[in-house]
Amino acid sequence: MPCEPVEEKSVKPIVTIVLLAAGMATRMGSNGGHKLLAEFDGMPLVRRSALTASNSHAESVTVVVGHRQDDIRKALSDLQLNVVANPDYASGMASSLVMGFAAAEANGADGVLVMLADMPGVTTSDLNRLITVFQNSKDVSIVRAISQGKRGNPVILPRSLNDAVLRLTGDIGARDLIETSGLSVIEVEIGDAAQIDVDTPEAIIAAGGIPAES
């Protein structure tokens, strides 16, 4: 009897999340408290952001910590996350990206979604939309959130850019890398959430949060 053809199963590209939570929050002022410990919906912002990431379709979540990492770790203590410390966090964002991308969970993924922990408007639904678009692009494009046409965050970088990310230095993110990569960029409108971060006590209050006292 002739053999029945074996139907090939389509495997979705794997996306993992790197949540950046290592910054020094210098714009909060000397008495402004840590922005990631500000209260949103009854919990520290960093925990809220981590839950948003954990509830998404991503394969895993790696949180990069640095400044006041003991307090950040405490806020995340009972969550199923990969937490990595960036000893060089004071040098800027690039070192945190390097730590996140070097983590085993990110290194083996088809795409890494870079999420900033201080963006309270980003929802799990937003993350899932970005992930779906990336997976449908056959994991070769950059996927970036925008707000009314303006570039924002989060962003998904395909595996082909991993080596370039690992060479980043200084206080820069992935924006220049995106512009010079030569890869197609798919933009996904997610509204104001793509632009709103909370770098000051006033911004925290405007976004519906309560600044931390210390």
Side-chain angles (χ1 to χ4, degrees):
M1 295 178 61
C3 295
E4 293 290 329
V6 177
E7 182 179 347
E8 292 186 6
K9 295 182 179 179
S10 60
V11 179
K12 289 184 178 180
I14 294 173
V15 175
T16 189
I17 292 176
V18 168
L19 181 65
L20 300 182
M24 297 179 67
T26 54
R27 292 176 60 190
M28 291 296 293
S30 58
N31 298 316
H34 195 310
K35 62 182 178 180
L36 297 185
L37 300 176
E39 186 175 304
F40 281 82
D41 296 333
M43 69 184 73
L45 175 56
V46 68
R47 180 180 179 86
R48 186 173 180 273
S49 297
L51 286 170
T52 296
S54 297
N55 290 330
S56 75
H57 294 154
E59 187 78 8
S60 63
V61 179
T62 296
V63 184
V64 183
V65 299
H67 179 59
R68 291 188 60 177
Q69 65 170 286
D70 289 345
D71 294 322
I72 300 298
R73 287 178 182 273
K74 183 177 179 180
L76 304 174
S77 61
D78 60 333
L79 303 182
Q80 296 299 309
L81 304 164
N82 310 301
V83 181
V84 296
N86 174 16
D88 197 29
Y89 66 87
S91 69
M93 185 182 293
S95 61
S96 290
L97 280 169
V98 170
M99 290 299 300
F101 273 68
E105 293 78 15
N107 195 40
D110 299 300
V112 176
L113 188 153
V114 179
M115 179 178 174
L116 308 181
D118 66 347
M119 299 186 72
V122 174
T123 66
T124 297
S125 178
D126 293 330
L127 299 181
N128 286 340
R129 286 181 59 205
L130 293 167
I131 291 169
T132 297
V133 169
F134 177 79
Q135 291 174 333
N136 289 341
S137 78
K138 307 302 181 185
D139 68 309
V140 295
S141 297
I142 295 166
V143 176
R144 176 170 57 198
I146 61 171
S147 173
Q148 299 180 17
K150 295 181 180 178
R151 296 176 300 186
N153 286 292
V155 61
I156 302 179
L157 303 178
R159 183 189 296 178
S160 62
L161 292 181
N162 279 18
D163 288 344
V165 171
L166 295 176
R167 291 193 296 268
L168 291 174
T169 59
D171 192 21
I172 61 172
R175 177 170 293 182
D176 290 342
L177 181 61
I178 292 171
E179 302 307 324
T180 60
S181 68
L183 299 179
S184 62
V185 180
I186 303 174
E187 297 181 330
V188 179
E189 175 68 52
I190 67 169
D192 293 342
Q195 289 280 328
I196 295 176
D197 56 15
V198 289
D199 285 337
T200 65
E202 294 78 15
I204 289 172
I205 294 169
I210 302 172
E213 293 183 0
S214 61

